[in-house]
Amino acid sequence: MADSIIEIEQLTKVFYTDEIETHALSGVHMQIKRGEYVAMSGPSGCGKSTLLSIIGLLDTPTAGRYQLNGKEVANLDFADRSRIRNQEIGFIFQSFNLIGDLSVAENVELPLTYRAGMPAAERKARVQESLERVNMAHRMRHYPAQLSGGQQQRVAVARALAGSPSILLADEPTGNLDSKNGEAVMKLLKELHDEGATICMVTHDPRFAAHAERQIHLFDGKVVAEGELSQLMAEA
Ligand SMILES: Nc1ncnc2c1ncn2[C@@H]1O[C@H](COP(=O)(O)OP(=O)(O)O)[C@@H](O)[C@H]1O
Ligand SMILES: [Mg+2]
């Protein structure tokens, strides 16, 4: 399907620790189309972060198929995975993950320095442009510790945007923010989506999930339908 950015089939992930097997994902099927805004929710431990890490090429599945932009990426080696991640994926984390001893501008520029052949002038222009996009250009020379949580998350969004990725992935992006800053980050993601960005966001806040066009519910390592989830939750 030409308009699918993400196509996942029969994806499983098993973690082995101290002779314990954890089946974090047990046969996930999903698709995300270009320009879609998808929210993923489900109870703690159901596999949301594991799935997002695999989609974001931070981790590999135990089995299954994963096509990103029509290319099979489930079994790439570390170097290819890093390169494709750098080009195709913008990641926004709950805890911002900015580097404390780099300035705001340097944090946003860092992923671009791994792009083979991108001239310094283009890097600077992209840093400027993406910080303007999130209204943080005036804090370019600040350091993360000098910013509020909401401002740090906006910088993290700028860092995710700077490389013009195919898809933005956000894992509980409002989890460490108060409700006012959380709302502001949600509004920003909504605007980016309205401008054409493809977004997959993990959240367990139904108010935020409602910003998305489509909601995927996970339960026990599987995608379940909305009705099924409330049933399962009621029975649990
Ligand atoms: N690196 C890991 N090693 C071992 N078990 C893990 C690891 N990461 C996640 N898990 C386990 O996999 C399951 C799914 O975790 P996770 O994807 O973080 O859930 P969620 O994000 O929905 O809360 C949990 O049982 C968790 O303990
Ligand atoms: Mg999680």
Side-chain angles (χ1 to χ4, degrees):
M1 241 183 270
D3 61 347
S4 277
I5 286 192
I6 307 276
E7 281 199 44
I8 280 171
E9 277 173 43
Q10 207 46 51
L11 200 80
T12 66
K13 179 68 177 181
V14 185
F15 291 107
Y16 299 91
T17 39
D18 300 330
E19 296 169 20
I20 298 171
E21 269 186 24
T22 306
H23 292 258
L25 299 174
S26 308
V28 169
H29 294 267
M30 68 185 273
Q31 284 186 7
I32 300 176
K33 291 186 173 25
R34 202 169 301 280
E36 246 194 327
Y37 186 175
V38 173
M40 257 202 293
S41 47
S44 180
C46 73
K48 304 181 296 294
S49 294
T50 302
L51 180 55
L52 211 64
S53 295
I54 292 172
I55 293 175
L57 303 175
L58 293 167
D59 204 350
T60 51
T62 304
R65 295 187 51 221
Y66 170 19
Q67 288 200 354
L68 173 63
N69 275 323
K71 188 176 188 297
E72 186 60 51
V73 293
N75 300 307
L76 294 179
D77 65 22
F78 183 81
D80 281 343
R81 218 164 59 232
S82 305
R83 183 176 47 80
I84 293 174
R85 181 172 64 236
N86 183 264
Q87 287 170 357
E88 308 281 351
I89 308 286
F91 222 114
I92 302 158
F93 300 92
Q94 177 172 351
S95 49
F96 324 135
N97 289 14
L98 299 174
I99 297 174
D101 48 11
L102 296 181
S103 70
V104 162
E106 288 165 343
N107 265 284
V108 176
E109 185 176 5
L110 187 64
L112 302 178
T113 63
Y114 300 108
R115 287 275 178 103
M118 185 184 289
E122 183 182 345
R123 287 205 307 267
K124 305 290 179 208
R126 282 178 177 238
V127 168
Q128 179 74 35
E129 199 180 312
S130 50
L131 282 171
E132 276 169 10
R133 182 63 198 79
V134 303
N135 283 324
M136 286 299 294
H138 62 304
R139 292 289 181 266
M140 198 108 120
R141 284 179 231 295
H142 281 59
Y143 285 83
Q146 300 170 313
L147 305 176
S148 73
Q151 290 176 321
Q152 290 188 52
Q153 194 61 303
R154 272 150 59 198
V155 172
V157 172
R159 177 183 57 188
L161 286 177
S164 312
S166 298
I167 184 165
L168 285 175
L169 303 177
D171 194 352
E172 304 273 6
T174 62
N176 283 357
L177 299 175
D178 60 33
S179 60
K180 184 166 161 283
N181 281 303
E183 292 287 353
V185 166
M186 281 301 114
K187 185 165 172 281
L188 177 59
L189 292 181
K190 182 79 173 61
E191 288 167 6
L192 293 170
H193 170 247
D194 290 340
E195 293 161 18
T198 309
I199 301 175
C200 180
M201 171 181 70
V202 167
T203 181
H204 53 233
D205 189 329
R207 288 172 309 153
F208 293 149
H211 285 240
E213 295 168 297
R214 181 156 68 95
Q215 297 186 29
I216 293 176
H217 294 284
L218 286 188
F219 189 87
D220 218 0
K222 287 196 178 77
V223 173
V224 295
E226 200 159 347
E228 287 170 13
L229 180 75
S230 40
Q231 234 174 331
L232 286 163
M233 299 281 279
E235 287 164 8

